[in-house]
Amino acid sequence: DAGVIQSPRHEVTEMGQEVTLRCKPISGHNSLFWYRQTMMRGLELLIYFNNNVPIDDSGMPEDRFSAKMPNASFSTLKIQPSEPRDSAVYFCASSATVARDEQFFGPGTRLTVL
Amino acid sequence: AQSVTQLGSHVSVSEGALVLLRCNYSSSVPPYLFWYVQYPNQGLQLLLKYTTGATLVKGINGFEAEFKKSETSFHLTKPSAHMSDAAEYFCAVSADGATNKLIFGTGTLLAVQP
């Protein structure tokens, strides 16, 4: 398997622009997680899905952030409008059906908002 | 609620020396415990995990961890450090008994001196 795929790997944008990050989980996995990692705040869980349904979005910082999972093989994380404080590395992870199973992480998207 | 504490945000060892990274957890259910490693500019990769059974768990790259219920600890060790072990290490505990959500520690950055 190719593992979790994220695109783009790097994104540089200007404040106020819309940013869309994409994730393809491992085939057959039914849980998907979006994380944000910064030096100041470490690794933060933003939202996670089970069977394409958002289960816990309590980590989403504010209304500028939204996430969707239209099908089992694709998810997006959108920031609109973006702000410099959104600069971070965003990771997507997926896990299989078994409860409490390990998560497999993608390579991340490094977002820089100027 | 579940939580993880990693003592020491930075650890430095000499090449060939013992590596010991500390992790203590709190869990209201029998814990599943994980250690992940993150190399520079990469996603997190599973080193090892404890679910049930044998309390000494062996992982990749010569690492192992021992689950000690009485001490609520899951420390990571490696007998002899290599330069290639320089990375950030995250301990995690399963958030509950029904999902794949994980609670991560704040990470320990391991430096290996020649």
Side-chain angles (χ1 to χ4, degrees), chain A residues 61-77:
Chain A
E62 47 198 276
D63 291 345
R64 298 185 297 107
F65 285 69
S66 62
K68 293 182 179 180
M69 192 165 185
N71 57 63
S73 58
F74 184 65
S75 177
T76 59
L77 178 67

Side-chain angles (χ1 to χ4, degrees), chain B residues 32-99:
Chain B
Y32 280 25
L33 296 156
F34 305 79
W35 274 101
Y36 282 83
V37 61
Q38 184 180 28
Y39 299 105
N41 300 313
Q42 296 186 26
L44 279 69
Q45 175 185 355
L46 184 72
L47 267 181
L48 51 81
K49 64 181 180 182
Y50 168 79
T51 55
T52 58
T55 56
L56 183 62
V57 181
K58 295 186 184 299
I60 62 172
N61 301 338
F63 283 93
E64 61 183 35
E66 186 170 11
F67 169 62
K68 292 187 177 181
K69 183 177 179 180
S70 61
E71 299 177 8
T72 61
S73 68
F74 191 57
H75 301 330
L76 182 71
T77 60
K78 182 174 181 178
S80 177
H82 292 172
M83 297 295 291
S84 60
D85 294 327
E88 189 156 23
Y89 292 80
F90 293 90
C91 181
V93 65
S94 52
D96 52 52
T99 73

